[in-house]
Amino acid sequence: MKLKHKVYGRTKILEAVMVKSVELDVFGRRMVVKFVDSHWELYTSSVEGRQRRIDDVIIPDFIEIDELPTYLGDIFHEAATHLHPDVKIIKTN
């Protein structure tokens, strides 16, 4: 949980913002999905930990964490191979 400060006049209000992060293996390609400000954002992730946002994939905000592999599998199904036949959750934060 991160705390964000908002200032209204002289009053400081702390707003709790939950940031969920899910690392997935999408047909052999490492991806990270983050839930930020009430919407999902999709990133590719390198072995070194660098991330690049994928803007052209929209994940609806009502998709639950356990539904992400199925949803991303439907979108990226053409990337499936006999070595990497499915989408798996690696880690959840």
Side-chain angles (χ1 to χ4, degrees):
M1 181 182 299
K2 294 184 179 180
L3 294 177
K4 207 183 338 184
H5 294 278
K6 285 191 174 184
V7 179
Y8 296 100
R10 294 182 183 178
T11 307
K12 235 185 216 189
I13 298 173
L14 289 178
E15 179 184 328
V17 178
M18 295 295 292
V19 179
K20 296 178 190 175
S21 176
V22 182
E23 289 184 43
L24 300 110
D25 177 333
V26 181
F27 304 116
R29 186 174 173 192
R30 183 168 285 221
M31 294 189 174
V32 176
V33 179
K34 296 178 183 179
F35 194 76
V36 181
D37 294 332
S38 73
H39 69 278
W40 290 110
E41 295 178 351
L42 179 63
Y43 297 83
T44 58
S45 181
S46 70
V47 176
E48 299 86 25
R50 293 185 208 149
Q51 296 180 351
R52 190 182 80 220
R53 176 112 188 256
I54 301 174
D55 291 322
D56 56 347
V57 174
I58 304 297
I59 302 173
D61 59 349
F62 59 83
I63 298 289
E64 297 292 329
I65 290 174
D66 61 338
E67 298 172 318
L68 286 170
T70 303
Y71 186 80
L72 293 174
D74 289 343
I75 292 173
F76 293 103
H77 67 273
E78 292 180 5
T81 65
H82 68 283
L83 293 175
H84 303 286
D86 49 22
V87 179
K88 298 178 259 185
I89 293 178
I90 299 170
K91 184 167 72 169
T92 305
N93 296 331

